[in-house]
Amino acid sequence: MSKEKVKIGIAGLGRIGKVHLENLIYRLPDAEVLVVMDINPELKELSTSLGVSKFYPNFQDLVDETRLDAIVICSPTDTHLEYIERAAIAGKHVFCEKPLSISVTEIDKIKSIIEKYRVKLQVGFNRRFDRNFVKLKSLVESGRIGDPHILKITSRDPAPPSLEYIISSGGMFMDMTIHDFDMARFITGSEVKEVFANGAVLVNPKIGEIGDIDTAIVTLTFQNGALATIDNSRQAVYGYDQRIEIFGSKGMSLVGNTYPDTHTIYDRTGGHTPPPLNFFMQRYTEAYLDEIKQFVHAIRYDKEVPVDAYDALRATQIARAARESLQKQKPIRLEY
Ligand SMILES: NC(=O)c1ccc[n+]([C@@H]2O[C@H](COP(=O)([O-])OP(=O)(O)OC[C@H]3O[C@@H](n4cnc5c(N)ncnc54)[C@H](O)[C@@H]3O)[C@@H](O)[C@H]2O)c1
């Protein structure tokens, strides 16, 4: 395997599917995308324009492609379990977008499937691959900030997704905060033992009407005693706001936003900089490349994937506890 290109098929060519497809085609010489699948036949044209001539509207046709080593699943969350199972039965390795599922039982099932068919499964927690956050984690691991005491995560989107997306995504804790729950475990290296969530509808009342929130503060308590706060909004008018601070017994380290350039313009009203890079496609461009590169590498050299179904399970458990905490207005303890 090590000399051959890794042959890949992609299911779902929406916002994130396109990011992975372009990285695999233009930036990863070790990989080759042979086929794209999406239920929307109009996307054939896009797929062809990016250089992939085979396009199927049906997942089984993708699975039946015997030359494929792996399938990258970027279709909506409620398709993940079924697609992972069918890919694994056909012996294909899987990269699947987050969340793996909004159901803990389904993730347990996915774990058994992966073990049974001995295929690799990497989960799309892309922020773990952002080089700034990787640095933060290494500072914790090396002991540079001492024992971690407080983690602060700010994670705000520039604009809410469509209501249709929210309905099928499992809601804010499941489609958005899930990244922050994963980062909390990743940076501290500790499991979460208690979750206390508060939420509100302050951006769009229609989000409230479909049973979700658009603004949240979540407090986490870790098994190692550290504490964390996560604050989320579906709408930051100044752009994608992604910051993390870790404070410990020997010091503190923080990662701020990234910008299209570093200029400041001064006038009578003060100094002005450009807004942060607008959204996930811009802010995490290199992180998306690194995560898929590591997936391809894991297949090519038969290594372990860096983020797996266990990580997905833990993040989903925390997201569900946050939802329960919001509903019951009390802290929820996680049992492992
Ligand atoms: N890691 C990240 O940063 C990140 C960012 C965005 C989305 N996601 C995740 O990726 C998944 C897709 O999100 P998106 O924002 O790209 O959604 P999207 O709505 O932009 O795209 C979804 C695509 O899947 C297609 N599709 C719908 N049903 C399908 C089916 N049954 N089989 C195959 N294709 C189907 C649609 O036609 C569409 O092209 C979700 O699970 C989401 O949580 C992850």
Side-chain angles (χ1 to χ4, degrees), residues 141-261:
E141 274 183 342
S142 67
R144 194 68 200 282
I145 63 125
D147 297 329
H149 290 176
I150 299 171
L151 174 73
K152 281 168 69 179
I153 300 181
T154 293
S155 174
R156 304 173 190 150
D157 284 355
S162 68
L163 295 176
E164 295 72 46
Y165 179 86
I166 292 174
I167 288 165
S168 78
S169 75
M172 191 161 94
F173 290 138
M174 209 45 94
D175 79 57
M176 184 175 165
T177 327
I178 194 126
H179 279 294
D180 308 310
F181 295 140
D182 182 60
M183 288 307 285
R185 293 181 62 244
F186 176 67
I187 300 279
T188 60
S190 182
E191 295 295 352
V192 171
K193 71 172 185 190
E194 190 177 272
V195 183
F196 194 13
N198 205 347
V201 182
L202 303 175
V203 174
N204 181 354
K206 291 208 170 87
I207 291 177
E209 284 162 25
I210 58 169
D212 201 15
I213 50 168
D214 54 36
T215 308
I217 303 257
V218 183
T219 308
L220 305 175
T221 308
F222 295 89
Q223 281 175 348
N224 68 3
L227 303 172
T229 60
I230 299 170
D231 84 79
N232 293 139
S233 170
R234 288 278 198 195
Q235 181 170 283
V237 292
Y238 49 86
Y240 198 36
D241 192 359
Q242 298 279 295
R243 291 171 280 144
I244 301 187
E245 179 182 308
I246 178 87
F247 167 84
S249 56
K250 288 193 194 160
M252 186 272 283
S253 178
L254 51 89
V255 167
N257 285 313
T258 46
Y259 295 85
D261 60 62

Side-chain angles (χ1 to χ4, degrees), residues 306-326:
V307 198
D308 60 16
Y310 178 82
D311 298 304
L313 178 71
R314 289 289 177 247
T316 291
Q317 283 173 323
I318 302 168
R320 292 188 72 88
R323 184 83 198 165
E324 188 183 343
S325 170
L326 178 68

Side-chain angles (χ1 to χ4, degrees), residues 126-141 183 186-187 255 287 290 294:
N126 56 292
R127 292 184 198 173
R128 287 183 179 226
F129 301 85
D130 175 276
R131 77 177 79 127
N132 303 303
F133 296 149
V134 167
K135 180 71 192 174
L136 213 60
K137 181 179 172 59
S138 77
L139 291 171
V140 175
E141 274 183 342
M183 288 307 285
F186 176 67
I187 300 279
V255 167
D290 275 0
Q294 290 202 30

Side-chain angles (χ1 to χ4, degrees), residues 275-301:
L277 288 171
N278 185 56
F279 209 179
F280 58 86
M281 286 87 96
Q282 294 83 28
R283 164 70 189 257
Y284 292 119
T285 308
E286 296 306 310
Y288 288 121
L289 176 65
D290 275 0
E291 69 171 350
I292 207 82
K293 194 188 219 169
Q294 290 202 30
F295 176 62
V296 169
H297 189 272
I299 296 173
R300 204 163 175 205
Y301 301 104

